[in-house]
Each structure stands twice: as C-alpha cells, then as structure tokens.
Amino acid sequence: MRIAELSRRSDVPVPTIKYYLREGLLPAGERTGPNQASYDDGHLRRLRLIRALIDVGGLPVAKVRDVLDAIDTAADEPLHEMLGVVAKSIGRTTSGEGESFAEARATVDEMVQRHGWHVDQGNPHRDELAGVLVGLDQLGHSELSKHFDVYFDAAQRIAREDLDYVSKLGGLEAILEGVVIGTILGEAAFAAIRRMAHVDASARLFRERGLTQ
Amino acid sequence: MRIAELSRRSDVPVPTIKYYLREGLLPAGERTGPNQASYDDGHLRRLRLIRALIDVGGLPVAKVRDVLDAIDTAADEPLHEMLGVVAKSIGRTTSGEGESFAEARATVDEMVQRHGWHVDQGNPHRDELAGVLVGLDQLGHSELSKHFDVYFDAAQRIAREDLDYVSKLGGLEAILEGVVIGTILGEAAFAAIRRMAHVDASARLFRERGLTQ
DNA sequence: CGATAGTAGATAGCACCACTATCCACACCT
DNA sequence: AGGTGTGGATAGTGGTGCTATCTACTATCG
C-alpha cells in the first residue's frame, strides 16, 4: 500500500507518518522508484503500536524509538535476556545523586533482596524507585515506603499474570511486542484501576466511620 | 522567610518560584511592604510537594495546579467526598468518542460492577481505562483485558494499604495531601516495582523453560 | 496525451510548555 | 550611601511534536 492508505487505515496524518519515518520510529517502505515506496501490514501494525505508546502510554517520541529499537535488537539475544533488554529501554533515566539517594538506593536493594527477585544491579527501575523514596522522604512521608511490601506482592501477582498471557503468543517478535504492550498499556490500565480503587476504598472507609473529622 | 531562603531550602531557583507564583501553584507570601513579602513553612512544604509531583510524578504544571486547587477546595466538602474530588482532579482527560469507545466503556462499567466498587459514573478513570481497552483492541490484544480481574484485586489490596496509612495522618489537610502523595508517588513507585517484577518473572519463566524457541 | 492527484524528501514554521533572563522601582542592611 | 535583594512585569529560550510548504518526480484517469 502507499502512504495515503497507511494514513487512512491508521488514522495518522501523512505528514505525521513522514515525521515518524524521519525520526526512525517507522522503518522506510520498500522502494519501488525514485520517489515511490510501498508499505505493508507490518508498517501498519508498527504505526498502531507507536500511536498506542504515545496516546495511551504517554511516552515521548524519543522513548518510543528506544523501545522499538529494543524490540528489534533483542531478537538476537538469548530469550531470558530479551525481556530484560526491552524492560530496560522502558525505564526513565532518573538521574540519582547525593547522599540521600544512595541511602534510598540501598533501601531498594534490600527490598528486592528480601523478596528474592532476580533484578540485575544495573536495572534502571531500581534507581527510579529510589528516586520516589527520596521524594517521599523530602515530603516527610518516608513511612509510606514501609507499606511497599504489599506493592511487591501485588506486582508479583500481576507480573505472573502478564507473563502467562505473553508467553502464549506465537513467535519471538510477538512476545517482545506483547511485553511492551503489557508493560506500557498494562501500566496505564493499572493506574486507572488503582485510582478507582482509591475512590472506592475511601468511600468505604469514611462512610462507615461517619463524618468524624 | 524571604524568597531567597525559600529558594535555598527547597532547591528551586528564585525565577522558578516566581513562575509558580504567577501560575497559581504557590499562594502569594504575606505582604510586608510594596515590594516585600514573607513566606512560611507552608510555602516550603507546598513547594516541595510541587517539585515531587513534577519530578517524580511527571505531572505537567497545569495538572499540578488542578490537584492543588482540589486539595484547597475539598476541605469544604464532606469527608467521604473530599477524596473523590482530589481523585478526580488527578485523572487525565481522555477524550473518548466513537463506537468502539462506548463499547469499551461498557466493559469497564461491567468490571467495576462485578467487583462491587463504588465509583461514580462521572469518574474520569473509567474513561481512562476504557481508552486503554480501545488501544489494546486496536493492537489485537483485547485478550489481555481478560486478565484485569487480577489487576482489580491487586489494586484493591494496595488501596486498602494506602488508605490505612493516610487515615492515620492527623488533620484534614494532611490527609488530603497524603492522598495526593500516595496516589501520585505511589503510582510511580508501583510502576517501577511492577517493571522489576516483570524482569524477575520473565527471568524465572524462561530460565526454567530453557532456551526453547 | 495531458491534466490532476499523489509521492519522497527536504526545509521551515508553529503552538505549547517549562522555565530563564532582564528590567524596573523600590526596600533592606550595614 | 551603596550594594544586594525584592515583587512584578515582560520578553526570550530550548525542547517537543507535529504541520505546512516546496521541489522534482510518478501514477492514474479520461
């Protein structure tokens, strides 16, 4: 198909598709002439993934490129490392520094250790969590992190469920794509669900308690 | 204290503080002269909250203002509605339209119903979740949403834990602030933890499975 | 065949966001 | 008295995510 059809089927304007091509989010079409190229269903699929990551996941364009690059390069890695490669590409680079950060980072390491998780030291999510801990500390809410064991257990249950789904997909490429979708869209979904749970829980708590202060 | 000290103690540049004042994120200091004002610990606290929401939570400035406004106005509401007001202010306005969205929205309503949650129809998180469902559907991963019951259960457990923490804080203002912090920073924390859980789970799954495929 | 529409590729422009810089008249401090 | 700081106003900056325009060419249709 040509670019106009790709645009119509993906509901992405032609100039935007060209922009994604320039930015390396979308691979070039197969050249059929000096100023002609044709695109296939792979392009359409990739384009829909891009839009989902941007619109639903809220990822910036540069991060989307990183994630897609990770999908494409991870296929050469051994299977048990592929997902790590993709997972790492998703994390946002929290620039941690200072004494309080190092302390928070140690707390994170201890938490991971305690739950017996296999997460390598260079994993960016450790630093990300440490960043949150620093923030909580500065707000005088470091106590909240004591409740994180519940978060770990919940996350573990969810992760098993996600992996269960993903591992049933056929083919490497599909699994990798599934991991990205499960991670990013799953995160957006869980965030919305969690906020609803907050509303429900507070309604429950304060209704039975009455309107006492 | 004066603005220089506020800047030093919060580690936010003076021009940025002035910007937040202009944007209504931070209330004006108490005037002591035509071009003099003094700020107190409340301002410092508020400023730290602003930075945490922006840096850790990744919220845009406009959303931070909404959330802070919600904290300030919710204090006049009955307790069981306050948290709803705050919770609503956090959601991002997903502009849902079209047939597929309506269908997704109905699925969401059914899920909420099934779990017996009290979440009012106008709650923006319903639409947000519906938006994710639409995205999943377009990517051919609508099956993933069948696993969301696990998400609901996990979210419920986490919400109970969060509310347990928050309800022990003294004073209305502190509770409202705690809800915001718990929601936003808690979300960032959980996202990091969940991603680590993914890495751990995939390492586990594919290691025991071996390098098949 | 020619008119019209579409195409790849390049360059420039635009709106928004989150600051950042500069300037002013005045105030504080020593 | 004078150097630094202040509130308030206005303008500028760098980054992001497109969007518009242009050129030289190609496809398609009557």
Side-chain angles (χ1 to χ4, degrees), chain A residues 84-213:
Chain A
V85 170
V86 172
K88 273 187 193 173
S89 76
I90 292 171
R92 52 166 152 156
T93 41
T94 327
S95 55
E97 46 189 39
E99 191 183 337
S100 60
F101 183 85
E103 199 178 319
R105 177 56 208 258
T107 305
V108 170
D109 290 346
E110 190 272 326
M111 285 176 176
V112 173
Q113 170 90 40
R114 179 147 39 86
H115 287 268
W117 287 9
H118 299 290
V119 181
D120 80 90
Q121 283 292 328
N123 192 291
H125 308 314
R126 284 183 187 248
D127 286 340
E128 207 169 319
L129 184 53
V132 179
L133 254 39
V134 171
L136 282 175
D137 206 45
Q138 279 169 4
L139 292 168
H141 281 271
S142 49
E143 289 293 307
L144 188 57
S145 65
K146 297 217 171 93
H147 296 244
F148 279 5
D149 279 339
V150 174
Y151 283 37
F152 271 77
D153 290 340
Q156 195 163 46
R157 195 158 307 131
I158 284 178
R160 267 200 272 269
E161 194 74 10
D162 291 340
L163 263 287
D164 178 58
Y165 170 75
V166 150
S167 64
K168 284 173 184 154
L169 298 172
L172 279 181
E173 190 87 0
I175 288 184
L176 289 168
E177 208 183 281
V179 168
V180 169
I181 292 168
T183 303
I184 305 290
L185 298 217
E187 192 166 305
F190 186 81
I193 293 170
R194 176 170 176 266
R195 288 167 183 193
M196 286 195 283
H198 272 160
V199 172
D200 172 68
S202 75
R204 236 171 254 279
L205 179 67
F206 294 113
R207 189 172 301 137
E208 74 191 23
R209 240 212 211 171
L211 298 182
T212 56
Q213 234 294 350

Side-chain angles (χ1 to χ4, degrees), chain B residues 159-185:
Chain B
R160 267 200 272 269
E161 193 74 11
D162 290 341
L163 263 286
D164 179 57
Y165 170 75
V166 149
S167 64
K168 284 172 182 155
L169 298 171
L172 281 180
E173 189 86 359
I175 288 182
L176 290 169
E177 209 185 280
V179 168
V180 169
I181 293 168
T183 303
I184 306 290
L185 297 218

Side-chain angles (χ1 to χ4, degrees), chain B residues 122-193:
Chain B
N123 193 291
H125 307 314
R126 284 182 186 251
D127 285 341
E128 208 170 319
L129 184 54
V132 178
L133 254 40
V134 171
L136 281 174
D137 205 45
Q138 279 170 3
L139 292 168
H141 281 272
S142 49
E143 288 294 307
L144 188 58
S145 64
K146 296 216 173 90
H147 297 245
F148 280 5
D149 280 339
V150 174
Y151 284 36
F152 271 77
D153 290 342
Q156 195 163 46
R157 194 158 310 128
I158 284 179
R160 267 200 272 269
E161 193 74 11
D162 290 341
L163 263 286
D164 179 57
Y165 170 75
V166 149
S167 64
K168 284 172 182 155
L169 298 171
L172 281 180
E173 189 86 359
I175 288 182
L176 290 169
E177 209 185 280
V179 168
V180 169
I181 293 168
T183 303
I184 306 290
L185 297 218
E187 191 166 307
F190 186 81
I193 292 170

